[in-house]
């Protein structure tokens, strides 16, 4: 069964640039319903754990240091085919390769500061959602 939920994070650079409102508006205008939402800051260990799948890659340390450096906004989004449709809205990991109109084309500063996260599978959407939100914080 295809899942109807995905997990997004507005990354530290985009929060610092005052883009929370614009990004959430794009997301909801694209048909996603916000069913959980908060502003938070990851500890270094939280960020290491969240991105553990990238352990050993050359960018891993920069990634977890950056992601824990300042506040982020985290949300669970609901929509039919949520994971795939949100990856489409997100655009390529590398903003120079992202299509016009995608979140990363619009808001990313670079490959490592690409503004927004989106889960890459239904299983990871579930794992990432419970990483950030308790049951009580999920409204659906
Ligand atoms: P994704 O965010 O599009 O799913 P992943 O491959 O899961 O991309 O990588 C996680 C994050 O790590 C990316 O969003 C980006 O911020 C960073 N990243 C990925 N590849 C590189 C790289 O080659 N150099 C620097 N940072 C990278
Ligand atoms: Mg990924």
């Amino acid at each position: 069964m295809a899942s109807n939920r995905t997990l997004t994070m507005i990354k530290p650079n985009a929060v610092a640039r005052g883009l929370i409102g614009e990004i959430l508006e794009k997301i909801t205008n694209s048909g996603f319903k916000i069913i959980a939402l908060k502003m938070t800051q990851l500890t270094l260990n939280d960020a290491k754990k969240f991105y553990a799948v990238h352990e050993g890659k050359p960018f891993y340390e920069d990634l977890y240091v950056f992601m824990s450096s300042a506040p982020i906004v985290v949300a669970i989004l609901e929509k039919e085919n949520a994971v795939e449709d949100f990856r489409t809205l997100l655009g390529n990991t590398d903003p120079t390769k992202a299509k016009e109109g995608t979140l990363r084309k619009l808001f990313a500063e670079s490959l490592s500061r690409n503004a927004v996260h989106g889960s890459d599978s239904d299983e990871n959407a579930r794992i990432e959602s419970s990483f950030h939100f308790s049951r009580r914080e999920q409204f659906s």
Side-chain angles (χ1 to χ4, degrees):
M1 196 182 88
S3 167
N4 61 353
R5 289 184 185 185
T6 192
L7 186 285
T8 188
M9 298 186 290
I10 302 177
K11 298 188 180 187
N13 61 317
V15 171
R17 290 170 65 214
L19 296 171
I20 297 170
E22 260 184 88
I23 291 173
L24 290 180
E25 187 177 19
K26 275 264 167 213
I27 290 171
T28 52
N29 282 347
S30 302
F32 294 88
K33 181 181 171 191
I34 295 169
I35 62 162
L37 179 70
K38 69 178 155 196
M39 191 169 186
T40 187
Q41 184 166 353
L42 297 174
T43 66
L44 202 63
N45 272 333
D46 287 337
K48 274 188 190 174
K49 221 168 103 185
F50 188 90
Y51 283 109
V53 63
H54 295 297
E55 204 176 334
K57 293 185 187 164
F59 59 86
Y60 178 57
E61 185 177 358
D62 175 73
L63 178 61
Y64 68 68
V65 169
F66 167 61
M67 287 302 295
S68 59
S69 65
I72 59 172
V73 167
V74 195
I76 300 175
L77 307 174
E78 196 171 78
K79 183 185 184 294
E80 200 177 306
N81 203 34
V83 168
E84 197 186 332
D85 286 3
F86 192 72
R87 294 294 305 196
T88 302
L89 177 63
L90 202 52
N92 195 288
T93 306
D94 180 349
T96 65
K97 295 180 187 152
K99 290 188 181 147
E100 289 300 327
T102 60
L103 297 175
R104 282 168 169 172
K105 182 73 179 183
L106 288 165
F107 302 116
E109 292 171 279
S110 65
L111 169 56
S112 61
R113 269 71 171 153
N114 59 8
V116 189
H117 167 86
S119 307
D120 65 3
S121 67
D122 292 344
E123 192 194 354
N124 284 335
R126 278 189 288 274
I127 294 168
E128 292 174 3
S129 294
S130 54
F131 180 93
H132 281 293
F133 294 101
S134 69
R135 286 301 318 163
R136 278 194 294 113
E137 294 175 307
Q138 301 181 34
F139 300 89
S140 188

